[in-house]
């Protein structure tokens, strides 16, 4: 199974900050990586797919990069609506696996 | 508008069974693979199972293999998860999620709101 490791697990930031979350795969997944945002009591929402493609309707302050085993999600200027938990997910092979999540909190 | 609406969750005793349903609308259901993903209280996301658009191909997480069965009814735009021999560790919110295909790399682009399954005596 491919293990996905996210860091940090918690991140404290202020509105306007540039935020970067890292996701590492235990083996190469090419660019088959997605990022999701989840708010309390809600379903996850797809932000980025194929490592760097922005899902329709997602603000352009979100961006993704990487390939192989190292990936990043960047929020260029954190907005109040962005305080949430973020998950990476590999869809290169079964079993599909998620990272442990990164909670972005208000500093 | 794509909508996925889960139902069937509830409280069940260890060793018991439960059948979850997901009603789909707003898209051509038979054209998409579908999946179940769960989230234990306060924990992260765990993929459970996937089924191809026609229902012929299925995959399961090792943690549920042999106990859970995924199925679909394309004539009624419905996805199911039959859960048997339930354990306390199966307690979670269960989401249905849409995927473009089962054997072509694709993310989950739409999710339902989830249904809570609690396994406890």
């Amino acid at each position: 199974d491919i293990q996905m490791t996210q860091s940090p697990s918690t991140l404290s930031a202020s509105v306007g900050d540039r935020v970067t979350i890292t996701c590492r795969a235990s083996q190469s997944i090419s660019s088959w990586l997605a990022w999701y945002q989840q708010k309390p009591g809600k379903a996850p929402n797809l932000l980025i797919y194929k490592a760097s493609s922005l899902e329709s309707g997602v603000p352009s302050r979100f961006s993704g990069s990487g390939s192989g085993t190292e990936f990043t999600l960047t929020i260029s200027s954190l907005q109040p609506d962005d305080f949430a938990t973020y998950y990476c997910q590999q869809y290169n092979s079964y079993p599909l696996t998620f990272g442990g999540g990164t909670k972005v909190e208000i500093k | 508008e794509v909508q996925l609406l889960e139902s069937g969750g509830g409280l069940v005793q260890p060793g018991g069974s439960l059948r979850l349903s997901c009603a789909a609308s707003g898209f051509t259901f038979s054209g998409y693979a579908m999946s179940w993903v769960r989230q234990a209280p306060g924990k992260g996301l765990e993929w459970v199972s996937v089924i191809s658009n026609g229902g012929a191909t299925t995959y399961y997480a090792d943690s549920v293999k042999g106990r859970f069965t995924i199925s679909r009814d394309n004539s009624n735009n419905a996805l199911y998860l039959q859960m048997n021999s339930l354990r306390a560790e199966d307690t979670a919110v269960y989401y249905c999620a849409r995927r473009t295909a089962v054997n072509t790399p694709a993310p989950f682009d739409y999710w339902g709101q989830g249904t809570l399954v609690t396994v406890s005596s």
Side-chain angles (χ1 to χ4, degrees), chain A residues 36 38 42-44 87 91 94, chain B residues 39 95 99 102 106 108 111-112:
Chain A
Y36 302 89
Q38 187 180 34
K42 301 295 186 181
Y87 293 93
Y91 50 94
Y94 291 104
Chain B
Q39 186 169 35
Y95 297 100
R99 199 168 183 230
V102 70
F108 300 118
W111 299 63

Side-chain angles (χ1 to χ4, degrees), chain B residues 61-112:
Chain B
D62 284 346
S63 57
V64 306
K65 200 173 294 181
R67 300 188 298 124
F68 290 11
T69 302
I70 191 171
S71 62
R72 64 190 296 160
D73 180 351
N74 284 346
S75 62
N76 287 305
N77 293 344
L79 174 73
Y80 304 103
L81 186 67
Q82 177 67 44
M83 303 186 296
N84 299 330
S85 303
L86 282 161
R87 306 166 180 167
E89 55 264 35
D90 295 319
T91 294
V93 173
Y94 285 74
Y95 297 100
C96 67
R98 192 182 82 166
R99 199 168 183 230
T100 304
V102 70
N103 282 322
T104 299
F108 300 118
D109 59 355
Y110 285 93
W111 299 63

